[in-house]
Amino acid sequence: MTHPRFTVLLPVNRPPALLPFAVESVLGQSLQDFELFIVCDGAPQETLQEAEKLAGRDERIRVFSFPKGERHGEAHRDTALKQANGKFVAQIGDDDIWFPEHLSELVRLLQTCDFGNLLQAEILPDGTFTVHIGDLSDADTRRKMLETRWNFFGPSTVGYSLEAYRSLDVGWSPAPPDFWTDLFMWRKFLARPDFTFATRPTVQCIKPSAVHRQDMSLAERQGEMMALMQRFADPAERQDFQTSCNEMLIKHLRSESRQHADNAARQTQTISAQQGKIRELQAELDLQKRRYDAILASSSWKMTAPFRKSGKLLRKLLSKRPF
């Protein structure tokens, strides 16, 4: 496939227990026009062997083997993308799962922007989930991501044009110590005023985050991933889950709308109170002006007669001055 629609990055640095699930979810996409780059960042030999076995089954899969790179091996992703042929770039973690419409939804998104994301749904070990909500088309959201340590989506929900990526001064590179790899990369896009940005409010990926599974063994995580794959292979299960995510999104938007309305009401009250104070001050000024005018008029009347008499005397004296 010379020029596929997508180049999909799949970085991996751990044993291969979870890798086949992520690969299967990519191969199961309704949009089949892609190439898949498995980027091994100092991964164990058994991971490389598993990746090569998967590549042997599908010519669209290509395996890159690198020694362990700095931080999360970000620079290896840049090396791989130098050989990319896709119009767009997507990425998936080896412990994440895409729903079948993920790439199709990314195409719809990237027809409107250079860089964007779908919504990220994170499943917790107890089965509950949360949806991280935001909108990249909002300038305040982008400013917050640029200026503060805040992010609402990870690599498995992102998409960008390869042309935009290659126009960056620096692509994927090691993030500074203790700084998030993804946000460090996103800021390179967000700092570009000539790029367009958008978020498509749909959940097409599930993330069983490793952050909440540090006490689970890799075998336990493998069992969880297998159960999730079986569950979401059922279209009805996917639909139910997405409906629940949409309800969460609607609830959030309604709450946000009420908050904006409350803020507007408070601002209106503040403005109304300020206008009332202005009217009171204006009335006080008007009253003082009337009092002043009355005092001035009274003083003028009392002083007019003496000044008139003095004026006559002055003119009389001046008329007698010898010049």
Side-chain angles (χ1 to χ4, degrees), residues 113-114 163-164 167-168 188-197:
C113 65
D114 299 301
E163 180 181 5
S167 74
L168 297 172
K188 297 174 186 179
F189 284 101
L190 297 176
R192 288 283 295 266
D194 55 324
F195 286 173
T196 54
F197 307 93

mmCIF file of all heavy atoms in Angstrom, residues 113-114 163-164 167-168 188-197:
data_model
loop_
_atom_site.group_PDB
_atom_site.id
_atom_site.type_symbol
_atom_site.label_atom_id
_atom_site.label_comp_id
_atom_site.label_asym_id
_atom_site.label_seq_id
_atom_site.Cartn_x
_atom_site.Cartn_y
_atom_site.Cartn_z
ATOM 1 N N CYS A 113 -9.420 19.927 10.385
ATOM 2 C CA CYS A 113 -8.347 20.520 11.181
ATOM 3 C C CYS A 113 -7.007 19.848 10.875
ATOM 4 O O CYS A 113 -6.959 18.810 10.220
ATOM 5 C CB CYS A 113 -8.667 20.386 12.680
ATOM 6 S SG CYS A 113 -8.699 18.670 13.269
ATOM 7 N N ASP A 114 -5.950 20.456 11.382
ATOM 8 C CA ASP A 114 -4.613 19.881 11.244
ATOM 9 C C ASP A 114 -4.285 18.930 12.394
ATOM 10 O O ASP A 114 -3.493 17.992 12.228
ATOM 11 C CB ASP A 114 -3.560 20.997 11.233
ATOM 12 C CG ASP A 114 -3.737 21.957 10.082
ATOM 13 O OD1 ASP A 114 -3.685 21.488 8.926
ATOM 14 O OD2 ASP A 114 -3.940 23.168 10.318
ATOM 15 N N GLU A 163 1.612 16.093 7.063
ATOM 16 C CA GLU A 163 2.178 17.346 6.552
ATOM 17 C C GLU A 163 2.395 18.346 7.688
ATOM 18 O O GLU A 163 3.440 18.997 7.760
ATOM 19 C CB GLU A 163 1.240 17.939 5.493
ATOM 20 C CG GLU A 163 1.746 19.243 4.894
ATOM 21 C CD GLU A 163 0.792 19.827 3.876
ATOM 22 O OE1 GLU A 163 -0.309 19.274 3.694
ATOM 23 O OE2 GLU A 163 1.162 20.852 3.253
ATOM 24 N N ALA A 164 1.397 18.462 8.584
ATOM 25 C CA ALA A 164 1.540 19.375 9.715
ATOM 26 C C ALA A 164 2.684 18.922 10.618
ATOM 27 O O ALA A 164 3.496 19.741 11.071
ATOM 28 C CB ALA A 164 0.233 19.446 10.509
ATOM 29 N N SER A 167 6.077 19.753 9.310
ATOM 30 C CA SER A 167 6.385 21.190 9.279
ATOM 31 C C SER A 167 6.851 21.705 10.639
ATOM 32 O O SER A 167 7.291 22.856 10.748
ATOM 33 C CB SER A 167 5.152 21.978 8.826
ATOM 34 O OG SER A 167 4.175 22.042 9.863
ATOM 35 N N LEU A 168 6.760 20.877 11.686
ATOM 36 C CA LEU A 168 7.237 21.284 13.011
ATOM 37 C C LEU A 168 8.762 21.383 13.018
ATOM 38 O O LEU A 168 9.443 20.614 12.343
ATOM 39 C CB LEU A 168 6.794 20.274 14.068
ATOM 40 C CG LEU A 168 5.288 20.097 14.288
ATOM 41 C CD1 LEU A 168 5.026 18.922 15.232
ATOM 42 C CD2 LEU A 168 4.656 21.375 14.847
ATOM 43 N N LYS A 188 3.736 21.460 20.913
ATOM 44 C CA LYS A 188 4.437 21.819 19.674
ATOM 45 C C LYS A 188 3.430 22.140 18.575
ATOM 46 O O LYS A 188 3.666 23.038 17.754
ATOM 47 C CB LYS A 188 5.368 20.688 19.254
ATOM 48 C CG LYS A 188 6.482 20.421 20.257
ATOM 49 C CD LYS A 188 7.301 19.188 19.868
ATOM 50 C CE LYS A 188 8.314 18.845 20.951
ATOM 51 N NZ LYS A 188 9.110 17.642 20.626
ATOM 52 N N PHE A 189 2.336 21.402 18.544
ATOM 53 C CA PHE A 189 1.266 21.712 17.587
ATOM 54 C C PHE A 189 0.512 22.975 18.024
ATOM 55 O O PHE A 189 0.259 23.871 17.209
ATOM 56 C CB PHE A 189 0.281 20.544 17.502
ATOM 57 C CG PHE A 189 0.775 19.363 16.717
ATOM 58 C CD1 PHE A 189 1.269 18.244 17.355
ATOM 59 C CD2 PHE A 189 0.723 19.352 15.333
ATOM 60 C CE1 PHE A 189 1.707 17.136 16.640
ATOM 61 C CE2 PHE A 189 1.160 18.258 14.591
ATOM 62 C CZ PHE A 189 1.662 17.147 15.255
ATOM 63 N N LEU A 190 0.121 23.017 19.293
ATOM 64 C CA LEU A 190 -0.736 24.106 19.778
ATOM 65 C C LEU A 190 -0.062 25.471 19.700
ATOM 66 O O LEU A 190 -0.746 26.499 19.651
ATOM 67 C CB LEU A 190 -1.156 23.822 21.222
ATOM 68 C CG LEU A 190 -2.000 22.565 21.443
ATOM 69 C CD1 LEU A 190 -2.265 22.341 22.924
ATOM 70 C CD2 LEU A 190 -3.318 22.646 20.678
ATOM 71 N N ALA A 191 1.264 25.493 19.669
ATOM 72 C CA ALA A 191 1.987 26.759 19.588
ATOM 73 C C ALA A 191 1.980 27.347 18.177
ATOM 74 O O ALA A 191 2.404 28.493 17.986
ATOM 75 C CB ALA A 191 3.433 26.568 20.058
ATOM 76 N N ARG A 192 1.475 26.580 17.227
ATOM 77 C CA ARG A 192 1.480 27.041 15.840
ATOM 78 C C ARG A 192 0.198 27.808 15.517
ATOM 79 O O ARG A 192 -0.885 27.210 15.427
ATOM 80 C CB ARG A 192 1.640 25.845 14.895
ATOM 81 C CG ARG A 192 3.031 25.242 14.894
ATOM 82 C CD ARG A 192 4.001 26.101 14.091
ATOM 83 N NE ARG A 192 3.650 26.126 12.683
ATOM 84 C CZ ARG A 192 4.159 25.305 11.771
ATOM 85 N NH1 ARG A 192 5.059 24.391 12.121
ATOM 86 N NH2 ARG A 192 3.793 25.397 10.511
ATOM 87 N N PRO A 193 0.282 29.127 15.306
ATOM 88 C CA PRO A 193 -0.930 29.909 15.019
ATOM 89 C C PRO A 193 -1.521 29.622 13.649
ATOM 90 O O PRO A 193 -2.680 29.974 13.392
ATOM 91 C CB PRO A 193 -0.430 31.359 15.119
ATOM 92 C CG PRO A 193 1.036 31.279 14.825
ATOM 93 C CD PRO A 193 1.486 29.961 15.376
ATOM 94 N N ASP A 194 -0.740 28.977 12.776
ATOM 95 C CA ASP A 194 -1.238 28.691 11.429
ATOM 96 C C ASP A 194 -1.964 27.352 11.345
ATOM 97 O O ASP A 194 -2.514 27.011 10.301
ATOM 98 C CB ASP A 194 -0.085 28.705 10.423
ATOM 99 C CG ASP A 194 1.051 27.744 10.808
ATOM 100 O OD1 ASP A 194 1.311 27.607 12.016
ATOM 101 O OD2 ASP A 194 1.672 27.164 9.899
ATOM 102 N N PHE A 195 -2.010 26.579 12.438
ATOM 103 C CA PHE A 195 -2.714 25.303 12.451
ATOM 104 C C PHE A 195 -4.155 25.490 12.910
ATOM 105 O O PHE A 195 -4.479 26.424 13.643
ATOM 106 C CB PHE A 195 -2.028 24.306 13.394
ATOM 107 C CG PHE A 195 -0.739 23.723 12.871
ATOM 108 C CD1 PHE A 195 0.048 22.927 13.693
ATOM 109 C CD2 PHE A 195 -0.300 23.963 11.580
ATOM 110 C CE1 PHE A 195 1.234 22.373 13.232
ATOM 111 C CE2 PHE A 195 0.883 23.421 11.103
ATOM 112 C CZ PHE A 195 1.658 22.630 11.931
ATOM 113 N N THR A 196 -4.999 24.553 12.483
ATOM 114 C CA THR A 196 -6.383 24.522 12.965
ATOM 115 C C THR A 196 -6.562 23.321 13.872
ATOM 116 O O THR A 196 -5.904 22.289 13.709
ATOM 117 C CB THR A 196 -7.368 24.447 11.787
ATOM 118 O OG1 THR A 196 -7.022 23.330 10.949
ATOM 119 C CG2 THR A 196 -7.334 25.722 10.962
ATOM 120 N N PHE A 197 -7.484 23.456 14.843
ATOM 121 C CA PHE A 197 -7.649 22.442 15.890
ATOM 122 C C PHE A 197 -9.127 22.143 16.109
ATOM 123 O O PHE A 197 -9.972 23.023 15.953
ATOM 124 C CB PHE A 197 -7.027 22.938 17.200
ATOM 125 C CG PHE A 197 -5.599 23.381 17.062
ATOM 126 C CD1 PHE A 197 -5.289 24.717 16.815
ATOM 127 C CD2 PHE A 197 -4.566 22.462 17.159
ATOM 128 C CE1 PHE A 197 -3.968 25.121 16.675
ATOM 129 C CE2 PHE A 197 -3.244 22.865 17.015
ATOM 130 C CZ PHE A 197 -2.945 24.198 16.780
#
